[in-house]
Amino acid sequence: MAADDTPSNASAAAPAPVSEQQSESSNQKNGRGNTRGGYKGGKRGGGGGHKDKGRKGAGFGSSKWDMPDKREQVQNSRSAKRQKVITDEADGTSYMSIPFTAEEIAAEERRPKRKVAVLIGYAGTGYHGIQINHKEKTIEGDIFAAFVATGAISKANADDPKKSSLARCARTDKGVHAAGNVLSLKLIVEDEDIVKKINSHLPDQIRVWAIQRASNSFSCYQACESRWYEYLMPSYALLPPQPHSFLGKRIAESAKAKGVADEYNERLDDVKDFWGEVEKNDIQPILDNMAPDVRTEVLRILRDSTDMELAEDAPPAKAAPKAGKKNVPKADEAPAEAPQAEAGEAAAKDVEMVDEAPAEAPLADAEAAATVAPVVPEVFEKAEPTPVELGVKEVKAAYIAAKRRYRVTPARLEKLQKALDLYLGTHNFHNYTVLKSANDPSAKRHIKSFEVNTTPIPIRDTEWLSLKIHGQSFMMHQIRKMVALAVMIVRCGAPLDLVEESYGPRRISIPKAPGLGLMLERPMFSEYNKKAISLGREAIDFAKYDDRIQEFKDQHIYRRMFEVEEQENSFHLFFNQVDNFRTDYFLWVTAGGVGASYERQERGGEKVPKALQAELGDEADGVVEVGN
């Protein structure tokens, strides 16, 4: 980010930005004056400097009008642009600009700023990612406000984070957590208790572990050489699609048509009979206890809810389209709402902040109150659920309970690890992000390791798997799409060759796994630390805070993951929607391979049904990626 540590009040003395200093140095070498005030006849001359900061508009010594110098022009331009964004796009409020009056700024004591590395951790639930912006509540927004509240950032610089050179080591998406991340910026850190005071202004789900002095040129983004992430997911994510789902039917039909049904069943291994046993042992007893007319209606509703048309307000489809027929929405179709997996369940998306409804404004006076008829709230009796509704709910709950009882086998984990191993090295990951084409050099990323822990973690009635990935850098949604592709290959019995094909020029629609399970473990600064230690500075090392970090992870990150999944069934909903979209987007998992799936023609230029936007990541969580 641009470095500009000058206060907003123009009368305060401050060093010129680097670009201006370089410009002045160049002018000296060319004999064109040695100060910004050295003008003659309206042009730069070789004489001495002018004492006035403002440029005279009518030659040397003229007082017709004063013009601001370059630094003031830049500040004024930034201020105008910032205010336009706040006014036009953020409804007059901002999460990244804290204004103070000129009197408050003038009364504040000026204190020196120092470049620092701020080691932080946070649970991303309820936040729109880390990167500060005007319109959304973000992790950096709350931290920036805490800096201002404690005096670590002056009132003069509180209106624009760029004045403090704020940068982050790794950008995390909406709802994504971080046990360790780093910010670099200029802070006032004279107070020995500054970390404790900053934390007192933050919610418990955001912590500052330490603030360390760094060189003036330090950038946490540039100094970071690699990053570790952890992804947690229920082991039932590896179960195959239900046979009566849209994707389940297409997999079976394609394997039979290609003559490879035996190979697909062999890849499914220990789970190929899972759903048949669930139907026999869990579902059929429930159906047998229903009255015949209730059972018939329950089965109809269950069939319809898993065979939905991908179109605006379309009724449930009665039959799936014939194999091989494309069912891609036309470009001019209105986007569709995602089919609901169950009445009352939340949509499969990341958790967002929900503002409370504003209180009603009081009436202006008693006379106005007298003219308004009193509002008598209507009282509605809550209707008792019908036998059919109760039956549908019981059957769906039985399916979810069966999933949660599943315990993964070593053979299944071995298949997942083989898929993850194909990510190692440098590859073109253009299919794993948004807005990047196959010929974009920035889509090439290097993965150092990607491993699944072979010892699952039992939490209540669900078994969880931990996947850890180490890479130099990652693009938006990349890790979640890498997880999703590997999981889809294993759960659908698809060949491992799909991973290699995803690096090619053909566009493949890969869903992004729920953000709920993703956590930035920590960034790495090995080379920077060597140099810092040689200069007598402190190394950036999260290991020194491992005990506090582990306690934080247990209380605020893992607990949130487990509770949200238990309450909202995020992973169940995600795979249920992917399996039941009547679309060819994901048919690359069938025996037909990528040729059987729909290829989008132009990334970002094609209208994708709203029902698929969250799964594909096209909405990009409302955040535009900056840099690589």
Side-chain angles (χ1 to χ4, degrees), residues 303-382:
R303 183 187 69 246
D304 289 348
S305 67
T306 58
D307 198 13
M308 299 291 290
E309 290 283 0
L310 190 62
E312 182 75 28
D313 299 326
K318 298 302 180 183
K322 295 181 180 180
K325 182 180 179 181
K326 302 292 182 184
N327 189 28
V328 179
K330 296 177 181 178
D332 58 351
E333 279 189 270
E337 294 293 335
Q340 293 297 312
E342 182 172 359
E345 287 184 337
K349 59 182 180 180
D350 297 326
V351 180
E352 289 185 281
M353 292 297 294
V354 180
D355 296 329
E356 294 183 2
E360 292 186 8
L363 292 173
D365 49 41
E367 182 179 355
T371 63
V372 180
V375 177
V376 180
E378 283 190 85
V379 178
F380 296 96
E381 291 187 8
K382 188 175 181 180

Side-chain angles (χ1 to χ4, degrees), residues 238 267-268 412 415-416 419 486-493:
L238 299 179
R267 292 194 194 105
L268 292 177
R412 206 95 181 117
K415 286 181 171 60
L416 177 60
V487 168
M488 290 286 284
I489 287 174
V490 175
R491 69 191 295 263
C492 298

Side-chain angles (χ1 to χ4, degrees), residues 106-339:
E108 185 179 38
E109 178 186 359
R110 290 178 55 81
R111 294 180 292 165
K113 295 182 294 184
R114 299 288 183 260
K115 194 65 170 288
V116 297
V118 183
L119 282 62
I120 62 174
Y122 49 87
T125 305
Y127 284 87
H128 206 87
I130 183 177
Q131 189 168 339
I132 194 169
N133 66 73
H134 288 290
K135 298 184 288 183
E136 306 288 349
K137 187 173 179 66
T138 65
I139 300 296
E140 280 183 353
D142 275 11
I143 294 176
F144 182 76
F147 288 158
V148 175
T150 54
I153 288 180
S154 67
K155 292 181 173 65
N157 293 332
D159 63 334
D160 187 0
K162 289 184 178 180
K163 293 181 178 180
S164 299
S165 304
L166 175 63
R168 67 215 56 83
C169 172
R171 193 187 73 76
T172 53
D173 296 336
K174 180 175 61 179
V176 175
H177 318 291
N181 203 346
V182 176
L183 305 177
S184 59
L185 73 164
K186 296 178 182 178
L187 292 180
I188 301 167
V189 290
E190 299 168 332
D191 192 336
E192 293 182 357
D193 294 326
I194 189 65
V195 171
K196 183 178 180 180
K197 291 180 178 179
I198 289 171
N199 280 329
S200 71
H201 287 274
L202 290 170
D204 290 341
Q205 71 185 92
I206 304 177
R207 292 292 89 183
V208 171
W209 307 125
I211 296 178
Q212 300 177 189
R213 285 289 306 277
S215 63
N216 289 335
S217 61
F218 175 73
S219 165
C220 62
Y221 180 79
Q222 297 294 337
C224 177
E225 62 196 39
S226 63
R227 298 154 180 85
W228 278 96
Y229 280 85
E230 181 179 25
Y231 192 88
L232 290 174
M233 66 180 185
S235 63
Y236 71 68
L238 299 179
L239 287 171
Q242 290 177 267
H244 59 262
S245 67
F246 174 80
L247 193 57
K249 293 176 184 177
R250 291 294 169 269
I251 291 173
E253 292 171 359
S254 178
K256 185 177 180 180
K258 296 287 184 179
V260 293
D262 291 341
E263 293 179 27
Y264 265 71
N265 286 329
E266 186 178 349
R267 292 194 194 105
L268 292 177
D269 193 32
D270 56 305
V271 296
K272 63 179 180 295
D273 298 322
F274 177 85
W275 288 116
E277 293 174 1
V278 169
E279 294 290 341
K280 176 183 176 181
N281 301 325
D282 297 82
I283 305 304
Q284 194 59 47
I286 296 174
L287 296 174
D288 289 343
N289 288 331
M290 296 178 184
D293 58 331
V294 173
R295 180 169 58 248
T296 300
E297 185 63 13
V298 167
L299 290 173
R300 185 192 66 79
I301 292 174
L302 290 172
R303 183 187 69 246
D304 289 348
S305 67
T306 58
D307 198 13
M308 299 291 290
E309 290 283 0
L310 190 62
E312 182 75 28
D313 299 326
K318 298 302 180 183
K322 295 181 180 180
K325 182 180 179 181
K326 302 292 182 184
N327 189 28
V328 179
K330 296 177 181 178
D332 58 351
E333 279 189 270
E337 294 293 335

Side-chain angles (χ1 to χ4, degrees), residues 371-449:
T371 63
V372 180
V375 177
V376 180
E378 283 190 85
V379 178
F380 296 96
E381 291 187 8
K382 188 175 181 180
E384 290 293 328
T386 66
V388 171
E389 291 172 337
L390 290 173
V392 170
K393 185 175 182 179
E394 186 178 6
V395 171
K396 288 187 175 182
Y399 279 127
I400 294 175
K403 280 186 172 183
R404 295 188 183 283
R405 287 198 309 269
Y406 172 70
R407 296 297 178 260
V408 72
T409 62
R412 206 95 181 117
L413 290 178
E414 184 181 355
K415 286 181 171 60
L416 177 60
Q417 186 60 61
K418 287 181 178 179
L420 299 179
D421 287 342
L422 296 175
Y423 288 130
L424 303 185
T426 302
H427 302 287
N428 188 336
F429 288 98
H430 73 98
N431 273 315
Y432 295 81
T433 187
V434 295
L435 304 177
K436 287 192 186 296
S437 61
N439 56 5
D440 188 336
S442 68
K444 290 187 177 180
R445 301 294 162 118
H446 183 76
I447 306 301
K448 294 173 176 289
S449 69

